[in-house]
Amino acid sequence: MTTDLGPLASDFVGLETSYRTGRRPRRRHYLDSAATTLMMRTAQDVSLEFLKHHGNPHTTAHSSARSATAALHWARDVVRGFLGADDRYTALFMGAGSTACANRLAFSLARSRPGKPLVLVSSMEHHSNDLPHRRHSTVLRVPLATAGQAPGAVAMDRLEELLARHSGQVNYVAVTGASNVTGLVNPIHDIAELAHRHGALVVVDGAQMVAHMPVRLAQPDPRRDIDAFFFSGHKAYAPGSPGGLVVKTQLLAGCTPLELGGGIVRDVTESSYALDPDGEVREQAGTPNVTGTVTLAAALAALGQVGMEAIQAHEQRLLAHALERLAGVPGLEIYGPTDLAAAPRVGCISFNLRHMEHALVATALNDDFNVSVRDGCFCAHPYVRVLLKESLQELEIESLSALEIEHLAERRRGMVRASFGLYTTETDIDALVDGLAAIGRQEAHYRGRYDVDAHGARPRNAGAAGGAGAALFSPQAALEAALGRRRAAVGEPQP
Ligand SMILES: Cc1ncc(COP(=O)(O)O)c(C=O)c1O
């Protein structure tokens, strides 16, 4: 498949990384971008340039510190622009990803809107967009619509019922923009309109959206605006960058910051302190991760130049190819509806090979086919449980009781997930499909080679199993090589 993404599609660190499978090293097929993406070289270049001017933005006296401050402002503007957030929004950066942002929001919104004790959370959330809300509010669950046989996106009628029943009591609706299990996309602006009608805000987990589809937080009709949106920089081609939270500035007014420290105060005495009135300043205690933030903004700016519509169209073509080819693998069960027109998805597909444990399949894909996929419950246990139970019910087990089905689901709890990035190619997908077909054909062979338990699959005989796990990165060896290069550069003898 030719791509219309220009040079960006091959602009990543690690695309040529090879591991040994069988006798020789072969290029890895990285299909785990929903967990974390590879580093975009352009973004890395920008951060290396920035590091020549690195300084602490809490100072204004010297040029490097001023460069750092300006770089942070630039990053905030880029991120807001990329997400279609106008000047009513503030961009904040924190922690290592979405989790830090969700915790911050849950803490702040519970305190700034104390008369609204309830939060509605969908049944397809990552734990990061569920547990923080449970800690600070009372969570009610929004069920999923049934799309054909499989559970689909959020059930809008059930959401409306809940909002109407608890009108005025709901602080916000927390929903993922796209699922990290099935890739299913939720109608976030329709959800926002419903929520706003009942005095609730909408908080969107954008971790699986931001690098995969266009996002416009501010809509022509403000009733459809998203109030708060968060995402992980490491899932948007900028490993090492913080989480990004873009939020309506008025929601920060009067918020107590979660963290206290330097950089956020006007004055401190031994017995009191006065916080900076600016929400953007007040929410960022301590020295920010400027390098990571600049890397993240550069990655998003580069994506923006290619255009998220083009990136989405490319991913949809790959997705259609993958779904069509996976449908031909005997015994493969894909979770969630697969009609892309009726149930839109991002490039993320979870599945099981019937009767085979997910850990065994994922490990064999790695060891023999150099295909990197994730397996397990993807930090979305309730959703995975729903999907597995639904799919078990579709098998010939109508005669089993609900309890027996639950036990069966528990034993098989987990899936294999393949997820795409800008650099994913049809060759990667074909390697996955061919690997799955071969593993399914040789089930007895793989069962003989691995011990499988709740912790994963391990080769019975490590020597005989060989495989792609054999050639791992060694930080110590990389350090020694780097030190050796430094010594050589200054003519020092090697130890
Ligand atoms: C939908 C979704 N939300 C939240 C998270 C948590 O992100 P992080 O681990 O970067 O904090 C993830 C990570 O997989 C995710 O996929």
Side-chain angles (χ1 to χ4, degrees):
M1 184 167 69
T2 54
T3 91
D4 38 13
L5 303 179
L8 198 64
S10 53
D11 185 38
F12 293 90
V13 179
L15 283 180
E16 297 311 319
T17 295
S18 294
Y19 296 124
R20 184 170 63 78
T21 54
R23 290 211 183 85
R24 59 192 174 86
R26 279 189 282 186
R27 192 177 70 78
R28 132 191 98 163
H29 300 282
Y30 188 78
L31 289 173
D32 198 16
S33 293
T36 199
T37 57
L38 303 182
M39 170 68 95
M40 187 192 289
R41 218 180 281 277
T42 295
Q44 191 188 35
D45 288 351
V46 174
S47 80
L48 282 175
E49 281 305 308
F50 164 68
L51 284 170
K52 295 178 189 165
H53 304 275
H54 187 237
N56 192 314
H58 287 168
T59 309
T60 51
H62 65 80
S63 301
S64 300
R66 280 185 230 141
S67 293
T69 305
L72 264 186
H73 287 308
W74 172 81
R76 285 196 185 117
D77 288 347
V78 165
V79 170
R80 284 195 299 124
F82 181 79
L83 296 173
D86 57 27
D87 55 12
R88 292 170 301 151
Y89 289 83
T90 296
L92 301 168
F93 302 96
M94 60 197 72
S98 300
T99 305
C101 303
N103 277 282
R104 178 74 60 94
L105 268 177
F107 171 89
S108 298
L109 293 178
R111 277 156 188 78
S112 63
R113 291 161 57 89
K116 294 175 182 284
L118 304 179
V119 172
L120 304 188
V121 175
S122 100
S123 294
M124 65 196 298
E125 298 307 313
H126 188 282
H127 301 330
S128 293
N129 196 29
D130 177 1
L131 303 184
H133 312 305
R134 293 196 207 180
R135 166 162 285 180
H136 298 287
S137 302
T138 301
V139 162
L140 300 181
R141 206 59 56 183
V142 187
L144 304 177
T146 303
Q149 293 286 13
V154 163
M156 296 300 284
D157 51 345
R158 305 292 297 280
L159 172 63
E160 187 158 22
E161 263 170 47
L162 279 168
L163 283 164
R165 193 175 327 139
H166 302 285
S167 204
Q169 296 283 295
V170 178
N171 191 346
Y172 55 93
V173 178
V175 67
T176 193
S179 159
N180 67 311
V181 179
T182 53
L184 285 174
V185 171
N186 276 313
I188 55 172
H189 297 290
D190 295 343
I191 292 173
E193 198 173 335
L194 263 186
H196 292 154
R197 214 182 288 151
H198 292 275
L201 303 170
V202 66
V203 166
V204 172
D205 174 348
Q208 299 297 338
M209 279 181 102
V210 74
H212 302 274
M213 57 192 288
V215 176
R216 299 215 66 75
L217 301 184
Q219 293 284 295
D221 176 351
R223 286 172 300 186
R224 295 174 62 76
D225 286 353
I226 304 304
D227 299 295
F229 180 96
F230 59 82
F231 62 98
S232 306
H234 70 90
K235 295 182 198 287
Y237 310 116
S241 67
L245 168 62
V246 179
V247 55
K248 285 241 172 108
T249 310
Q250 68 185 48
L251 295 177
L252 298 175
C255 269
T256 317
L258 175 63
E259 290 167 330
L260 295 178
I264 64 165
V265 284
R266 278 288 164 87
D267 192 22
V268 180
T269 69
E270 287 201 351
S271 57
S272 66
Y273 56 86
L275 294 169
D276 195 296
D278 181 345
E280 197 169 274
V281 175
R282 220 174 40 230
E283 289 291 331
Q284 304 263 243
T287 301
N289 174 359
V290 191
T291 314
T293 306
V294 167
T295 315
L296 168 58
L300 296 186
L303 294 181
Q305 287 205 359
V306 175
M308 287 310 295
E309 286 79 7
I311 288 170
Q312 183 184 30
H314 172 73
E315 189 172 289
Q316 291 298 307
R317 285 194 291 277
L318 277 179
L319 197 50
H321 173 75
L323 288 170
E324 188 188 326
R325 286 228 51 209
L326 287 169
V329 176
L332 193 95
E333 184 179 5
I334 297 175
Y335 296 102
T338 54
D339 175 351
L340 292 177
R345 286 182 180 233
V346 294
C348 175
I349 307 175
S350 292
F351 49 81
N352 270 319
L353 260 178
R354 269 177 216 214
H355 312 307
M356 291 190 75
E357 292 85 349
H358 49 87
L360 176 58
V361 173
T363 306
L365 278 172
N366 178 72
D367 288 359
D368 281 6
F369 303 93
N370 239 332
V371 174
S372 312
V373 290
R374 175 110 186 245
D375 74 292
C377 294
F378 320 121
C379 301
H381 291 191
Y383 185 35
V384 165
R385 206 174 270 134
V386 167
L387 292 167
L388 285 176
K389 227 189 275 178
E390 292 283 332
S391 76
L392 287 171
Q393 270 153 353
E394 277 171 37
L395 299 177
E396 57 301 335
I397 55 167
E398 284 86 4
S399 55
L400 298 185
S401 69
L403 191 65
E404 285 167 319
I405 292 172
E406 179 70 27
H407 285 162
L408 198 51
E410 283 297 321
R411 239 183 299 137
R412 285 188 32 174
R413 187 135 69 93
M415 304 168 172
V416 184
R417 178 182 75 187
S419 54
F420 311 158
L422 255 174
Y423 33 73
T424 304
T425 62
E426 279 193 0
T427 309
D428 297 324
I429 290 166
D430 292 346
L432 166 74
V433 172
D434 295 344
L436 285 169
I439 294 165
R441 275 196 308 273
Q442 302 172 71
E443 180 175 345
H445 163 77
Y446 284 103
R447 286 203 178 285
R449 243 174 78 184
Y450 292 93
D451 284 318
V452 190
D453 61 22
H455 305 293
R458 279 169 315 285
R460 292 220 164 110
N461 170 351
L472 291 175
F473 167 69
S474 158
Q476 186 61 34
L479 171 67
E480 276 157 24
L483 290 173
R485 286 194 296 274
R486 296 291 166 278
R487 281 188 211 103
V490 296
E492 236 181 55
Q494 302 291 340

